[in-house]
Amino acid sequence: MAGADQPSLRVLEHAQQTQPQDVDLSVQNLPDDQARQQLEAGTLDAVLHSTGPGKFTLTGGEEVPAKLRSLLDTSVEQVLTAELLSSAGIDPGQLPADTALSVTLLQGDAERNSMIQAMAFIFSFLFYMAALIFGMPIANSVIEEKQNRVVEILASTIRLRELLAGKIIGNVILALGQLLLFLGVGLLAAWLAPIEIPFLGVVFQVATWFVVFFLAGFLVLAGCWAALGALATRTEDLQQSSGPVVTVLIGILFIGLYAKGTVLVIASYVPIVSSVAMPIRLLTGQVPGSSRCSHCWWRSRSAGWCWCSRRGSTAAR
């Protein structure tokens, strides 16, 4: 990259100081004719020269890289602005910066709210996915055994309640195993991440409670799927009768994603829905009967300390 005059060199030097990591910009001071010759020979990518007060022309060979053009466009604007302010006797450093506005929240902070939204999506999606993947096969297997009359043979050697309970328990174990696998891999990746993730200790604690609530909620939901399979005689009948259950699952997904305030509190006391709503409430630290720190959520009643107090924070209460 070459500059043909002093204004162009100032712009190029500013661009060289602010260039991103994926741009390697080297600057030369060459006369216009010599710069054009090297540009035609392919030894230069582009040439910048001034065409008047506040105007520049960027000349390239076959094309000008988009990243270079964007970088120089920003540098021209900043350099010209700084020169105009200096000519008016204004120090550019006194201008308001992009960080002049800061945001504070009465409850929690932006990082904590972002963490709650992310975990709410994860909890809701995991429950919704497990309920469909491992819930629907319970009803389908019951219908298939009824259609093939296999259940009549099994009924002579085992009680039907034990057969149905075995289907429910087996799918609950599979769903729980998949949940533990996903949570384990995700938490391990977050723990080993090269950057520090805030509130990671809170996520570990609430994820444990989510497993407990998930087990209770999915067990009830698996019983509903088994009942639907026992009531239906054909697979086509199951598609109609499973509509209310699927509607409830979609409602759980939306409650986990968007419910706040009173709606979230009410949902945390509703069976099945509480499997997602209560862990989200635990993340907010607003569950009655527990004294929580507003920063790290955790508090030990017996020891009288919270997690952030052990790190020297005075936010514990």
Side-chain angles (χ1 to χ4, degrees):
M1 187 72 196
D5 44 59
Q6 290 301 321
S8 300
L9 284 177
R10 288 196 296 269
V11 172
L12 291 177
E13 290 174 355
H14 181 276
Q16 192 175 27
Q17 295 174 358
T18 60
Q19 63 181 345
Q21 296 180 354
D22 56 347
V23 176
D24 186 13
L25 181 62
S26 59
V27 179
Q28 301 181 41
N29 182 12
L30 297 175
D32 194 7
D33 296 339
Q34 186 177 354
R36 184 175 294 274
Q37 292 177 1
Q38 294 190 15
L39 183 63
E40 294 176 352
T43 58
L44 287 178
D45 293 331
V47 176
L48 182 68
H49 58 274
S50 175
T51 57
K55 295 182 180 181
F56 294 87
T57 299
L58 181 62
T59 305
E62 295 182 356
E63 62 177 356
V64 176
K67 294 181 180 180
L68 178 61
R69 181 176 179 178
S70 177
L71 176 62
L72 293 179
D73 189 19
T74 303
S75 298
V76 167
E77 180 180 355
Q78 294 179 355
V79 169
L80 291 179
T81 301
E83 291 179 353
L84 289 175
L85 291 175
S86 299
S87 62
I90 301 175
D91 185 8
Q94 297 179 351
L95 294 178
D98 295 336
T99 58
L101 176 64
S102 60
V103 179
T104 59
L105 303 176
L106 294 179
Q107 298 180 356
D109 51 35
E111 288 185 348
R112 182 178 178 180
N113 292 340
S114 299
M115 178 270 296
I116 293 175
Q117 293 177 0
M119 295 308 301
F121 172 79
I122 293 174
F123 290 160
S124 304
F125 183 75
L126 287 178
F127 187 86
Y128 177 80
M129 182 178 62
L132 289 181
I133 294 177
F134 297 99
M136 185 73 76
I138 298 176
N140 287 328
S141 63
V142 173
I143 295 175
E144 290 177 0
E145 291 176 355
K146 290 168 62 176
Q147 288 181 338
N148 299 331
R149 309 182 70 87
V150 177
V151 68
E152 297 178 2
I153 301 175
L154 296 176
S156 61
T157 57
I158 187 176
R159 294 181 179 179
L160 295 180
R161 290 184 178 180
E162 296 176 353
L163 177 62
L164 200 58
K167 295 179 182 293
I168 295 175
I169 294 175
N171 281 272
V172 168
I173 293 175
L174 290 175
L176 184 61
Q178 177 184 268
L179 177 68
L180 292 175
L181 177 63
F182 287 163
L183 287 179
V185 172
L187 293 175
L188 180 62
W191 181 266
L192 298 177
I195 60 175
E196 182 180 358
I197 300 178
F199 303 102
L200 188 58
V202 179
V203 174
F204 272 98
Q205 297 160 15
V206 178
T208 304
W209 280 109
F210 173 65
V211 173
V212 177
F213 282 101
F214 172 86
L215 181 61
F218 186 79
L219 188 61
V220 176
L221 195 60
C224 296
W225 282 114
L228 291 176
L231 293 175
T233 57
R234 300 178 304 170
T235 306
E236 292 77 7
D237 298 337
L238 178 62
Q239 296 177 356
Q240 299 178 358
S241 59
S242 62
V245 179
V246 175
T247 303
V248 171
L249 293 178
I250 296 176
I252 294 174
L253 181 62
F254 277 90
I255 287 175
L257 293 177
Y258 303 110
K260 295 180 181 178
T262 306
V263 177
L264 184 62
V265 173
I266 296 175
S268 64
Y269 291 99
V270 179
I272 303 179
V273 184
S274 61
S275 301
V276 174
M278 184 57 76
I280 298 175
R281 286 191 63 198
L282 289 174
L283 288 172
T284 62
Q286 299 177 355
V287 179
S290 62
S291 180
R292 307 296 180 187
C293 172
S294 60
H295 289 265
C296 68
W297 182 86
W298 176 259
R299 178 176 175 84
S300 172
R301 290 173 176 263
S302 58
W305 52 263
C306 70
W307 185 261
C308 62
S309 66
R310 299 190 66 183
R311 296 181 295 174
S313 174
T314 59
R317 52 182 174 88

